[in-house]
Amino acid sequence: MPLTSTTAVLQHARKHGYAVAAFNVHTLEMMQAVVDAAIESDAPLILQTTVGTVSHLGADYIAAAAEVAASRTRLPIGLHLDHCTDYNVIVRCIRAGYTSVMIDASMHPYEENVERTARVISVASAVGVNVEAELGKVGGVEDDIVVDERDALLADPEECASFVARTGVDTLAPAIGTAHGIYKGDPDIDFDRIARIAGRVDVPLVLHGGSGIPADQVRRAVALGMAKMNIATELRIAFSDAIKRVFEERPGENDPRKYMVPAKEAVKRLALEKIALCGCAGRGGEAM
């Protein structure tokens, strides 16, 4: 089937208490691996790219590859632009075929965040594209967006409710104590805050910084209303480590297929684990 908007899929996930795994991919092999995992798991899937990956590969190349992947299965597969601050890049990705975009204006004052988000929604909603926005600041590094831990402000539940009502945003990523990248210690997730936000907004919530969160904490966050979990850093590490192992064993290897195949297999194994953890395995037919 064609690439699909993530709106209905995420609404189904929120209603039925599971999350859709959203994987940041940077190569064709990574995309193929997570799609294979979704097919094997019978799970809905969200493919994600950062602005840096769009710049590296091109939005049209990415969208065309994702469309081919989606056409080979009847599972709902969405293509999402992650953490974008640039309105023009968002429009370019929508025109290329992305079915979901994130406008990240969380570094701006609240009123400006509302204004920038509403502007994107006015364009995206006309063509059925899902819009995700962020409130508060998720710590760590995502592409070239750096948030110091001291400045990682958590989202206010009442502000979240007002933001959703004023913008009409489809999905919301509230800062609740997670961080991008791999955690140095245990993540300090504010589960009570998740519950209070979920009690005040009806839209699906997004768990950013999903790499390295202990399984029991992921399940708890999902049960409280997180309908989408982003996985990026762990995927890159699995992919890269598999390639490194090939060159450690065979330093003279010069056939990309010989190291890309193990890398794909490593990414697929991890994706299978994350899909099962999110509770979306077996939900492919339901979520359409």
Side-chain angles (χ1 to χ4, degrees), residues 258-280:
K258 300 297 184 181
Y259 50 83
M260 285 300 184
V261 169
K264 282 175 63 176
E265 291 171 348
V267 168
K268 180 181 176 181
R269 285 193 298 271
L270 180 61
L272 287 168
E273 293 175 9
K274 297 300 183 180
I275 287 170
L277 179 60
C278 287
C280 57

Side-chain angles (χ1 to χ4, degrees), residues 89-109:
V89 173
I90 288 173
V91 171
R92 188 162 77 243
C93 286
I94 290 173
R95 287 174 175 166
Y98 278 64
T99 61
S100 178
V101 294
M102 178 185 182
I103 170 63
D104 185 356
S106 60
M107 70 292 299
H108 296 290

Side-chain angles (χ1 to χ4, degrees), residues 37-74:
I39 291 172
E40 186 171 316
S41 303
D42 184 27
L45 174 68
I46 298 174
L47 300 168
Q48 298 193 156
T49 63
T50 63
V51 175
T53 301
V54 170
S55 177
H56 177 64
L57 295 177
D60 51 352
Y61 271 93
I62 295 166
E67 192 66 62
V68 169
S71 72
R72 295 185 176 187
T73 176
R74 295 188 60 81

Side-chain angles (χ1 to χ4, degrees), residues 103-122 131 133-135 158-169 172:
I103 170 63
D104 185 356
S106 60
M107 70 292 299
H108 296 290
Y110 175 77
E111 289 297 330
E112 187 171 349
N113 192 349
V114 169
E115 180 183 339
R116 287 173 179 258
T117 301
R119 184 185 182 203
V120 170
I121 290 169
S122 68
V131 176
E134 182 171 313
L135 271 183
E158 294 301 333
E159 202 170 67
C160 287
S162 171
F163 185 84
V164 171
R166 291 180 62 185
T167 63
V169 72
L172 180 67

Side-chain angles (χ1 to χ4, degrees), residues 215-253:
D216 60 328
Q217 295 190 30
V218 170
R219 295 190 189 97
R220 186 177 176 188
V222 170
L224 289 171
M226 290 292 177
K228 174 184 176 228
M229 183 172 81
N230 291 3
I231 303 106
T233 305
E234 277 186 283
L235 216 63
R236 290 200 309 270
I237 291 173
F239 186 80
S240 301
D241 284 353
I243 294 174
K244 291 174 186 176
R245 282 193 293 271
V246 171
F247 283 107
E248 287 171 359
E249 297 169 3
R250 304 192 299 277
E253 183 60 70

Side-chain angles (χ1 to χ4, degrees), residues 2-232:
L3 286 171
T4 183
S5 170
T6 60
T7 302
V9 173
L10 292 175
Q11 288 173 344
H12 186 275
R14 169 77 193 263
K15 180 179 179 180
H16 294 278
Y18 66 94
V20 179
F23 297 102
N24 280 44
V25 296
H26 305 279
T27 70
L28 176 62
E29 291 82 7
M30 294 178 79
M31 182 183 293
Q32 290 171 326
V34 298
V35 170
D36 287 347
I39 291 172
E40 186 171 316
S41 303
D42 184 27
L45 174 68
I46 298 174
L47 300 168
Q48 298 193 156
T49 63
T50 63
V51 175
T53 301
V54 170
S55 177
H56 177 64
L57 295 177
D60 51 352
Y61 271 93
I62 295 166
E67 192 66 62
V68 169
S71 72
R72 295 185 176 187
T73 176
R74 295 188 60 81
L75 296 171
I77 297 179
L79 178 60
H80 176 73
L81 174 65
D82 196 24
H83 279 285
C84 187
T85 61
D86 189 326
Y87 175 83
N88 292 324
V89 173
I90 288 173
V91 171
R92 188 162 77 243
C93 286
I94 290 173
R95 287 174 175 166
Y98 278 64
T99 61
S100 178
V101 294
M102 178 185 182
I103 170 63
D104 185 356
S106 60
M107 70 292 299
H108 296 290
Y110 175 77
E111 289 297 330
E112 187 171 349
N113 192 349
V114 169
E115 180 183 339
R116 287 173 179 258
T117 301
R119 184 185 182 203
V120 170
I121 290 169
S122 68
V123 173
S125 61
V127 288
V129 170
N130 177 282
V131 176
E132 177 182 323
E134 182 171 313
L135 271 183
K137 298 177 183 177
V138 178
V141 179
E142 180 70 27
D143 250 10
D144 58 352
I145 302 172
V146 181
V147 178
D148 189 277
E149 291 179 4
R150 293 187 302 274
D151 295 326
L153 305 177
L154 301 186
D156 176 80
E158 294 301 333
E159 202 170 67
C160 287
S162 171
F163 185 84
V164 171
R166 291 180 62 185
T167 63
V169 72
D170 300 296
T171 51
L172 180 67
I176 43 80
T178 55
H180 297 122
I182 296 297
Y183 295 93
K184 298 182 180 71
D186 290 334
D188 185 19
I189 298 176
D190 190 335
F191 292 103
D192 178 66
R193 188 175 299 269
I194 298 175
R196 287 188 287 130
I197 293 171
R200 286 165 174 76
V201 303
D202 294 328
V203 299
L205 302 178
V206 183
L207 184 64
H208 279 225
S211 290
I213 299 178
D216 60 328
Q217 295 190 30
V218 170
R219 295 190 189 97
R220 186 177 176 188
V222 170
L224 289 171
M226 290 292 177
K228 174 184 176 228
M229 183 172 81
N230 291 3
I231 303 106

